[in-house]
C-alpha cells in the first residue's frame, strides 16, 4: 500500500510538471523515507524528485512548526542538569549558574534547584551553592528559610572548613528571618575547638551587629568577643579586634561591654608578631585607642611596636608610626624620644621608593609628621628632592615638605634646588617653586638676601608667569623685612606691562602705594591702573583704592583729583559691596579727621609669621591619630567627609582680621574681601546728583547727609568741615593736630524715633519733567517731633493745569506708608506738601 501510494504521488508530479509534490502526499513521503523497509522500493522513484522540490514541499507544510517546543531554553537545560544524578554533571551545572549570575543574568528561577544541591559532601560544590544563596537570599527570603536546617547541620559538621563556611554564609545573608536561627550556631562556633572556625565566627559577630545590634548585645556576643582577645591563636585575636573596632565605630556605647586592660594589651602585643599584615594593622589601630596608665607602660608599648617599622607592608609601617607619634606625647624622657625619632626616619624615607601612588599617600602622612615633629626628618631633606620622572602631584608634595624642613644648615642646598625647579617646563610646578623661594626668605632670615637675589635673577628671565609669582612673594618679603630691600622696587616697576594676573597686579599696586614717597612717578603708575578700573578684578580694585588713598595722605597737593576719581568710582559706579563700603569708610575718614585717617591707613603693619599654612594644633593632633587613613590624605577629620561620623571635637577659631594678617602674608588690611558670590543679586540704585561723591552708606532711597552745625558755646571753637572733601584739598596739615569731628546725624538716625535731633536732607529729583510730560517731582526724608516725614515737591513746568495722575508709595523694607492725601496742583505753580509717614 505504501509503495502504491508513493508511486502515484511521483507519477502525478511528473505528469503535471510541477516543481513540488502535492501537499497531501508530503507527510506520506517523509514517513516513507524514514522507513527502512520500503527504502529500496522508493529509491528509483525518489531519485526523480529534485532536492528543490522536496524543500518546496516542506515549506508549504502547516504553520505548526512555530509552536514546536523541542528547544527548551537555557534555564530548562540548567534545571535538568541540576537535578541530574551524576555529581560531576550537577557540579558543572552549578558552575554554569554562578557564571551566568556573575555576568548579570537572572537565574533566580533556579533557587529551589540550586538549594537542593546543598546536601553534598563535596566542599567545592557547597561553596558554589552558598555563594548563590548569598546573592539571591534577599530576593527570595521565603525560600531561603528552607536552607536554614542545612546551615545548622553544617555548623556541626566534623570538617572545620564546612563549619566555618556555614557560619560565614549565614552572617553574609542579610535576612532578618535567617538571623533568628544564627545565634545558637554562632555561639557554638565562637567556642569551637578549631581556631579557623573561631576567627570566622568573630567576624560574623560584626556582621550580625550590623543587621541587629540589639540581638548581639542581648545574646552576650560582645563579652565573648572580649574573651577572644586573649585567645592563644593570633589570627583569632586579630579578627576579634577587627570585629570590635567595627562595632565600636557604629556603636560607641558598646565599649562598656569590652574591657581592654593591661593584660589584654600584652596579649595583643604578643599576637602582633605572629598574625598576618592585616591582623597587625587591626591590632595597631586598637592600640592607638588605648591610653596607657603611666610613662613606663608607654615606653614598654613603644619598644614592642618599634620592630613593626621594618615591615614590608606600607600600611603596617604607617600604623606603627601613628601609635608611636601618639605615645611620644606622653613620654617625658627626652633621650628615649630622640631615640624613637631616629628610628622613625628610615622607614618613612623608604616609603618614597615605592610606586607614585604610595609615595603620594606617604608624603601626605609625612607632611603631618613633619608639622608635629620636624626633627624626625631634619637630616633627610635630600630624600624629598624632586626627580625628573615624578608625577606632578608627588612633586608638589615633596616641595611642600622640603620648605618645612628648610633651615639655616641646609638652605643653600634648598635654594639651589628651587632655582633649578624654576626653569622646569611644568608651569604649576614652576609657580610653586618661585613661591617656595619666598617662603624660605621669610622662614630663614639669614637667607633672605640670597632669596631676594635669586628672585631678581628669575625676574631677569622675563618669563611672564615667573615674573608675576616673584612679585607676589617679594611683597611678602617687604612685609617681613620692612625698609631693607626696597632698592629693588625700580626693577619691579620695569615689568609693569607684563602683569596680567590679578594677584600679581594687586601685589604691585600694594608695593607702589606702600612706598609711594620713594617712587617719583607713583601717581602715574596708579593712574595707569585706574584707567581700566571697572575691568579689574575685585582684589585689584580694593588694592588700588587703598594705594591711592595712601598716596594722597603722603602727597595731598598732587593727588587730589586722583583720590576724588577713585572714591567716585568705588562709591558711585561699583556694584561690589566690599568696594563701596571701603570707599565710604575712606571718604568719611578723610572728610572728618585726616590725621585719624593717616593713623589708620598708614599704620605700621605687623610682621607676617614664618609658617603660614600650618594645620591648627588641635586638628593636627586629631589627624595624627588617623595616620594611614583617608583623613591623613585629605588633611580633614573623618567627620568632614564620612557621613554619619560624629566629630570628636569642635574647633573654635577666635581671631580678628589683624591676627589673620599677622599669621598669613596673603591676608592683609588692603585685600581682605568677602566672597564675591555673597554679593547682592540686584544691587540697589545709587540715588544722588552727579556732582556728589557719595549717595549714602546703606544705598537707601535718600541722598547723602549734609552736616548740621550744632550750637556753638565757645567762640573760639573750630568750625566743622562742611563739604565732602573741599577742606581736605585746601591747605590741610596732615601732621598737625586733628580737627574736631563735626556733629552730624547718620542716615540711620532717620528711623530712630527716640533721637531728638532734627535732620533735613536736601531734596533730590526723583522724576524729571522730561519723563513725566512736564511734571517734576523732588523728594527727601525728614524727622520732626519724633515722626518720620517725606518732603515732596511737585513742579508743574507746563502752561496748563495737570490732572489725572496719581502717586503711589511702594512697599519697602521699613514698612513706611503714607499718612495723608496729597493736595491738588494748579497751573504753573509749585506746591511743597509735607507728607507724613507712618510705620506699619
Amino acid at each position: 500500500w505504501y509503495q502504491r501510494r508513493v508511486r502515484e504521488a511521483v507519477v502525478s508530479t511528473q505528469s503535471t510538471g510541477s516543481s513540488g509534490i502535492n501537499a497531501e502526499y508530503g507527510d506520506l513521503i517523509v514517513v516513507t523515507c524514514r522507513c527502512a523497509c520500503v527504502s529500496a522500493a522508493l529509491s528509483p522513484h525518489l531519485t526523480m524528485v529534485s532536492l528543490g522540490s522536496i524543500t518546496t514541499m516542506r515549506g508549504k507544510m502547516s504553520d505548526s512548526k512555530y509552536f514546536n517546543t523541542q528547544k527548551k531554553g537555557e534555564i530548562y537545560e540548567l534545571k535538568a542538569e541540576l537535578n541530574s544524578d551524576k555529581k560531576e554533571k550537577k557540579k558543572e551545572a552549578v558552575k554554569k549558574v554562578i557564571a551566568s549570575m556573575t555576568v548579570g543574568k537572572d537565574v533566580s528561577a533556579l533557587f529551589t534547584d540550586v538549594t537542593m544541591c546543598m546536601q553534598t559532601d563535596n566542599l567545592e560544590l557547597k561553596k558554589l551553592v552558598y555563594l548563590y544563596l548569598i546573592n539571591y537570599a534577599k530576593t527570595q527570603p521565603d525560600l531561603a528559610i528552607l536552607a536554614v536546617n542545612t546551615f545548622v547541620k553544617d555548623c556541626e559538621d566534623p570538617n572545620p572548613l564546612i563549619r566555618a563556611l556555614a557560619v560565614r554564609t549565614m552572617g553574609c545573608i542579610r535576612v532578618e528571618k535567617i538571623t533568628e536561627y544564627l545565634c545558637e550556631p554562632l555561639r557554638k562556633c565562637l567556642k569551637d575547638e578549631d581556631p579557623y572556625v573561631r576567627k570566622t565566627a568573630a567576624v560574623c559577630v560584626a556582621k550580625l551587629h550590623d543587621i541587629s545590634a540589639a540581638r548581639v548585645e542581648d545574646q552576650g556576643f560582645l563579652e565573648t568577643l572580649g574573651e577572644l582577645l586573649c585567645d592563644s591563636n593570633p589570627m583569632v585575636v586579630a579578627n576579634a579586634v577587627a570585629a570590635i573596632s567595627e562595632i565600636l565605630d557604629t556603636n560607641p556605647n558598646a565599649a562598656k561591654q569590652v574591657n581592654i586592660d593591661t593584660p589584654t594589651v600584652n596579649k595583643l602585643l604578643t599576637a602582633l608578631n605572629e598574625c598576618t599584615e592585616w591582623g597587625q594593622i587591626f591590632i595597631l589601630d586598637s592600640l592607638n585607642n588605648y591610653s596607657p596608665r603611666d610613662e613606663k607602660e608607654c615606653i614598654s608599648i613603644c619598644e614592642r611596636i618599634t620592630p613593626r617599622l621594618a615591615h614590608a607592608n606600607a600600611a603596617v609601617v604607617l600604623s606603627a608610626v601613628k601609635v608611636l607619634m601618639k605615645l611620644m606625647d606622653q613620654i617625658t624622657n627626652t633621650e628615649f624620644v630622640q631615640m624613637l625619632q631616629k628610628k622613625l626616619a628610615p622607614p618613612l624615607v623608604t616609603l618614597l621608593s615605592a610606586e607614585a601612588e604610595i609615595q603620594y599617600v606617604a608624603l601626605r602622612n609625612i607632611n603631618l609628621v613633619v608639622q608635629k615633629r620636624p626633627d624626625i626628618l631634619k637630616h633627610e631633606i635630600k630624600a624629598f628632592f624632586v626627580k625628573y620622572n615624578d608625577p606632578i602631584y608627588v612633586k608638589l608634595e615633596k616641595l611642600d615638605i622640603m620648605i618645612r624642613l628648610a633651615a639655616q644648615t641646609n638652605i643653600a642646598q634648598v635654594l639651589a634646588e628651587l632655582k633649578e625647579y624654576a626653569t622646569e617646563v611644568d608651569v604649576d610646578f614652576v609657580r610653586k617653586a618661585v613661591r617656595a623661594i619666598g617662603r624660605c626668605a621669610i622662614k630663614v632670615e639669614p637667607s633672605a638676601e640670597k632669596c631676594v637675589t635669586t628672585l631678581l635673577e628669575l625676574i631677569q628671565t622675563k618669563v611672564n608667569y615667573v615674573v608675576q609669582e616673584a612679585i607676589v612673594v617679594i611683597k611678602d618679603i617687604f612685609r617681613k623685612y620692612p625698609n631693607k630691600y626696597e632698592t629693588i622696587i625700580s626693577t619691579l616697576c620695569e615689568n609693569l606691562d607684563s602683569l596680567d594676573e590679578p594677584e600679581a597686579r594687586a601685589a604691585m599696586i600694594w608695593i607702589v602705594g606702600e612706598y609711594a614717597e620713594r617712587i617719583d612717578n607713583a601717581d602715574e603708575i596708579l593712574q595707569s591702573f585706574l584707567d581700566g578700573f571697572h575691568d579689574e578684578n575685585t582684589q585689584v580694585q580694593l588694592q588700588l583704592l587703598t594705594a591711592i588713598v595712601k598716596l594722597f595722605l603722603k602727597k595731598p597737593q598732587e593727588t587730589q583729583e586722583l583720590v576724588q576719581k577713585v572714591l567716585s568710582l568705588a562709591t558711585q559706579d561699583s556694584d561690589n559691596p566690599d568696594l563701596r563700603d571701603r570707599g565710604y569708610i575712606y571718604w568719611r575718614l578723610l572728610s572728618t579727621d585726616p590725621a585719624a585717617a593717616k593713623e589708620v591707613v598708614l599704620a605700621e603693619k605687623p610682621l607676617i609669621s614664618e609658617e603660614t599654612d600650618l594645620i591648627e594644633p588641635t586638628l593636627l593632633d586629631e589627624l595624627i591619630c588617623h595616620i594611614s587613613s583617608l583623613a591623613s590624605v585629605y588633611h580633614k577629620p573623618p567627620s568632614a567627609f564620612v557621613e554619619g561620623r560624629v566629630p570628636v571635637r569642635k574647633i573654635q577659631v577666635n581671631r580678628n582680621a589683624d591676627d589673620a594678617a599677622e599669621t598669613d602674608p596673603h591676608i592683609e588690611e588692603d585685600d581682605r574681601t568677602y566672597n564675591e558670590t555673597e554679593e547682592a543679586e540686584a544691587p540697589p540704585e545709587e540715588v544722588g546728583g552727579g556732582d556728589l561723591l557719595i549717595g549714602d552708606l546703606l544705598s537707601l532711597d535718600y541722598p547723602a547727609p549734609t552736616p548740621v552745625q550744632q550750637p556753638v558755646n565757645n567762640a573760639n571753637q573750630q568750625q566743622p568741615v562742611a563739604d565732602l572733601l573741599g577742606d581736605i584739598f585746601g591747605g590741610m596739615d596732615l601732621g598737625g593736630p586733628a580737627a574736631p569731628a563735626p556733629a552730624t546725624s547718620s542716615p540711620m538716625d532717620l528711623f530712630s524715633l527716640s533721637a531728638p535731633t532734627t535732620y533735613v536732607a536736601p531734596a533730590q529729583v526723583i522724576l524729571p519733567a522730561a519723563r513725566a510730560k512736564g511734571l517734576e517731582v523732588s523728594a527727601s526724608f525728614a524727622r520732626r517731633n519724633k515722626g518720620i516725614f517725606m518732603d515732596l515737591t511737585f513742579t508743574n513746568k507746563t502752561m496748563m493745569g495737570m490732572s489725572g495722575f496719581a502717586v503711589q508709595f511702594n512697599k519697602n523694607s521699613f514698612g513706611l506708608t503714607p499718612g495723608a492725601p496729597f493736595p491738588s496742583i494748579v497751573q504753573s505753580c509749585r506746591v511743597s506738601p509735607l507728607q507724613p509717614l507712618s510705620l506699619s
Side-chain angles (χ1 to χ4, degrees):
W1 182 81
Y2 276 113
Q3 293 178 4
R4 182 168 52 83
R5 295 286 292 175
V6 170
R7 288 192 186 98
E8 292 176 358
V10 172
V11 172
S12 175
T13 302
Q14 292 177 341
S15 62
T16 57
S18 174
S19 59
I21 300 178
N22 292 338
E24 60 180 316
Y25 299 109
D27 293 337
L28 177 64
I29 290 179
V30 172
V31 173
T32 305
C33 291
R34 293 176 180 174
C35 296
C37 60
V38 296
S39 58
L42 289 175
S43 55
H45 303 280
L46 287 178
T47 54
M48 301 172 59
V49 184
S50 65
L51 182 62
S53 300
I54 296 177
T55 303
T56 305
M57 177 265 303
R58 293 183 63 85
K60 292 183 179 180
M61 293 168 61
S62 64
D63 292 337
S64 61
K65 64 177 181 177
Y66 295 113
F67 301 95
N68 191 349
T69 58
Q70 290 181 355
K71 187 175 181 181
K72 302 298 182 181
E74 184 179 7
I75 298 295
Y76 181 85
E77 294 176 358
L78 290 174
K79 185 185 288 288
E81 293 179 6
L82 289 171
N83 294 314
S84 174
D85 295 334
K86 298 180 179 179
K87 294 183 179 180
E88 288 299 324
K89 193 173 184 179
K90 183 180 294 187
K91 184 167 68 173
E92 289 298 321
V94 175
K95 288 183 178 180
K96 292 179 182 179
V97 172
I98 298 299
S100 300
M101 181 183 72
T102 304
V103 297
K105 294 182 180 179
D106 184 15
V107 288
S108 58
L110 301 172
F111 192 92
T112 305
D113 302 283
V114 174
T115 304
M116 292 175 63
C117 297
M118 292 176 63
Q119 303 293 340
T120 179
D121 296 332
N122 190 309
L123 183 60
E124 182 182 5
L125 179 58
K126 192 177 287 289
K127 287 182 179 180
L128 293 173
V129 174
Y130 281 177
L131 181 61
Y132 178 89
L133 291 175
I134 291 173
N135 191 57
Y136 283 109
K138 282 187 178 181
T139 59
Q140 307 279 351
D142 296 331
L143 294 177
I145 297 296
L146 301 176
V148 168
N149 290 333
T150 305
F151 284 132
V152 175
K153 180 180 178 182
D154 287 347
C155 286
E156 298 177 357
D157 193 274
N159 189 343
L161 295 178
I162 294 180
R163 296 201 300 271
L165 180 62
V167 72
R168 179 192 294 121
T169 306
M170 290 186 73
C172 292
I173 297 177
R174 304 177 61 84
V175 177
E176 185 67 27
K177 294 180 180 180
I178 292 183
T179 57
E180 297 176 2
Y181 302 94
L182 173 61
C183 296
E184 195 59 34
L186 179 59
R187 181 177 290 104
K188 293 180 180 180
C189 290
L190 284 171
K191 298 180 180 179
D192 196 280
E193 60 182 8
D194 191 279
Y196 182 77
V197 179
R198 294 199 302 274
K199 81 178 188 66
T200 305
V203 177
C204 188
V205 173
K207 296 179 180 179
L208 179 61
H209 183 274
D210 194 30
I211 302 172
S212 176
R215 193 184 303 277
V216 171
E217 296 179 3
D218 295 341
Q219 296 291 331
F221 289 141
L222 291 177
E223 290 81 356
T224 308
L225 278 181
E227 296 173 359
L228 291 181
L229 293 177
C230 300
D231 196 277
S232 58
N233 187 281
M235 283 308 304
V236 176
V237 175
N239 282 22
V241 170
I244 291 174
S245 300
E246 184 72 21
I247 292 172
L248 293 181
D249 282 343
T250 57
N251 184 15
N253 295 328
K256 301 176 182 178
Q257 303 181 42
V258 182
N259 184 24
I260 300 180
D261 50 12
T262 301
T264 305
V265 170
N266 290 330
K267 288 284 186 179
L268 295 179
L269 291 171
T270 302
L272 186 64
N273 300 321
E274 302 177 15
C275 59
T276 63
E277 53 192 20
W278 293 114
Q280 294 180 34
I281 294 171
F282 288 130
I283 293 176
L284 289 171
D285 288 344
S286 66
L287 293 174
N288 186 56
N289 298 324
Y290 174 69
S291 298
R293 297 173 302 175
D294 50 26
E295 183 177 352
K296 183 179 179 180
E297 187 177 3
C298 283
I299 295 176
S300 175
I301 295 175
C302 289
E303 290 175 344
R304 299 179 69 175
I305 289 177
T306 302
R308 299 302 100 205
L309 295 174
H311 202 280
N313 189 299
V316 177
V317 174
L318 288 177
S319 296
V321 170
K322 169 174 60 180
V323 180
L324 294 174
M325 288 290 295
K326 180 182 178 182
L327 294 178
M328 277 194 290
D329 290 339
Q330 306 177 36
I331 299 176
T332 58
N333 188 339
T334 55
E335 294 182 1
F336 184 79
V337 171
Q338 292 176 0
M339 183 268 294
L340 279 181
Q341 290 179 350
K342 291 180 181 180
K343 290 184 178 181
L344 283 173
L348 291 175
V349 173
T350 303
L351 294 176
L352 301 182
S353 60
E355 296 84 359
E357 292 78 8
I358 297 179
Q359 282 189 56
Y360 178 75
V361 174
L363 288 168
R364 294 292 285 177
N365 285 272
I366 291 173
N367 200 325
L368 298 175
V369 173
V370 170
Q371 291 188 50
K372 181 70 174 178
R373 294 183 179 273
D375 292 341
I376 293 177
L377 294 167
K378 65 180 180 180
H379 299 302
E380 306 290 343
I381 192 169
K382 288 186 177 180
F384 301 99
F385 286 175
V386 173
K387 299 178 182 178
Y388 73 96
N389 58 349
D390 282 337
I392 182 61
Y393 53 87
V394 172
K395 288 182 178 180
L396 296 179
E397 285 301 318
K398 283 186 174 181
L399 192 59
D400 194 27
I401 297 174
M402 192 190 310
I403 302 307
R404 298 192 189 282
L405 296 176
Q408 189 172 354
T409 56
N410 56 27
I411 192 63
Q413 292 177 312
V414 173
L415 281 180
E417 282 290 314
L418 294 178
K419 190 175 180 180
E420 288 295 325
Y421 301 160
T423 60
E424 292 281 345
V425 295
D426 193 305
V427 176
D428 292 335
F429 183 56
V430 171
R431 290 178 181 273
K432 189 87 171 181
V434 175
R435 295 216 175 192
I437 296 175
R439 288 177 60 184
C440 286
I442 295 172
K443 182 178 180 180
V444 186
E445 184 171 353
S447 69
E449 188 170 352
K450 291 182 180 179
C451 295
V452 172
T453 303
T454 304
L455 289 172
L456 288 178
E457 293 175 1
L458 294 175
I459 290 176
Q460 296 302 328
T461 62
K462 301 299 181 181
V463 179
N464 192 326
Y465 53 88
V466 174
V467 172
Q468 300 192 83
E469 290 296 329
I471 290 177
V472 171
V473 298
I474 285 176
K475 183 199 81 168
D476 298 335
I477 294 175
F478 283 167
R479 290 200 55 197
K480 177 66 176 179
Y481 310 107
N483 303 319
K484 192 173 182 180
Y485 300 107
E486 284 72 16
T487 54
I488 67 173
I489 293 178
S490 58
T491 305
L492 302 181
C493 292
E494 295 173 359
N495 298 275
L496 285 173
D497 296 336
S498 64
L499 304 182
D500 55 9
E501 297 178 2
E503 190 174 6
R505 292 172 70 85
M508 192 66 219
I509 291 171
W510 181 90
I511 293 173
V512 173
E514 189 70 15
Y515 301 99
E517 68 279 5
R518 305 186 185 186
I519 305 175
D520 296 334
N521 61 338
D523 54 341
E524 298 177 3
I525 296 174
L526 295 179
Q527 178 65 51
S528 65
F529 286 103
L530 191 62
D531 292 339
F533 185 81
H534 291 298
D535 299 329
E536 297 286 359
N537 183 273
T538 302
Q539 180 183 6
V540 179
Q541 291 177 338
L542 289 166
Q543 281 286 16
L544 187 56
L545 172 61
T546 302
I548 292 178
V549 171
K550 289 180 181 178
L551 178 62
F552 171 72
L553 292 173
K554 295 176 180 179
K555 300 178 181 179
Q557 301 300 330
E558 305 171 9
T559 56
Q560 294 180 4
E561 294 182 2
L562 190 62
V563 72
Q564 187 170 3
K565 181 178 180 181
V566 73
L567 287 175
S568 177
L569 290 172
T571 56
Q572 287 189 348
D573 301 338
S574 174
D575 293 333
N576 188 300
D578 294 331
L579 188 61
R580 286 204 309 265
D581 291 350
R582 185 174 292 190
Y584 296 149
I585 292 172
Y586 285 150
W587 172 81
R588 289 174 185 266
L589 278 173
L590 294 174
S591 62
T592 56
D593 195 344
K598 187 174 183 179
E599 293 179 2
V600 172
V601 179
L602 301 181
E604 183 177 354
K605 295 175 178 57
L607 300 180
I608 58 178
S609 64
E610 296 177 359
E611 293 290 346
T612 60
D613 55 350
L614 289 176
I615 298 177
E616 190 264 335
T618 309
L619 175 59
L620 179 61
D621 291 338
E622 182 178 357
L623 293 179
I624 290 292
C625 294
H626 291 290
I627 284 179
S628 76
S629 68
L630 277 179
S632 63
V633 178
Y634 293 157
H635 286 186
K636 295 180 180 179
S639 58
F641 59 88
V642 178
E643 185 177 358
R645 281 297 291 264
V646 180
V648 297
R649 61 179 184 83
K650 294 182 179 179
I651 302 176
Q652 294 182 352
V653 180
N654 186 17
R655 62 178 187 177
N656 53 28
D658 292 334
D659 296 332
E662 186 175 354
T663 57
D664 194 340
H666 305 297
I667 301 177
E668 76 161 287
E669 183 265 336
D670 294 336
D671 52 13
R672 295 187 198 112
T673 63
Y674 297 100
N675 192 330
E676 292 184 26
T677 58
E678 297 177 359
E679 296 179 9
E681 294 181 1
E685 295 182 359
E686 297 291 344
V687 180
D691 56 338
L692 293 177
L693 286 176
I694 173 175
D696 67 280
L697 188 59
L698 297 178
S699 299
L700 301 176
D701 292 334
Y702 51 85
T706 301
V708 178
Q709 185 172 348
Q710 298 298 319
V712 179
N713 297 326
N714 187 355
N716 296 327
Q717 184 176 355
Q718 188 173 355
Q719 294 297 323
V721 180
D723 199 2
L724 295 179
L725 288 174
D727 290 351
I728 297 179
F729 299 153
M732 85 180 161
D733 184 10
L734 293 177
T744 61
S745 294
S746 168
M748 292 303 296
D749 290 340
L750 287 175
F751 305 106
S752 177
L753 299 180
S754 61
T757 309
T758 298
Y759 172 79
V760 180
Q764 294 293 319
V765 177
I766 59 175
L767 182 64
R771 293 176 52 190
K773 299 181 180 180
L775 175 63
E776 181 182 271
V777 182
S778 302
S780 66
F781 285 97
R783 189 183 68 244
R784 297 181 178 88
N785 299 325
K786 297 184 179 181
I788 305 172
F789 291 83
M790 183 178 184
D791 290 332
L792 292 173
T793 300
F794 296 84
T795 304
N796 184 359
K797 293 191 175 183
T798 65
M799 298 303 296
M800 61 186 67
M802 304 186 70
S803 61
F805 63 88
V807 177
Q808 176 179 333
F809 203 99
N810 294 330
K811 292 183 179 180
N812 52 83
S813 58
F814 299 100
L816 297 176
T817 56
F822 295 97
S824 60
I825 301 179
V826 297
Q827 178 179 357
S828 299
C829 71
R830 175 172 177 162
V831 180
S832 299
L834 187 65
Q835 179 64 31
L837 302 176
S838 61
L839 281 171
S840 60

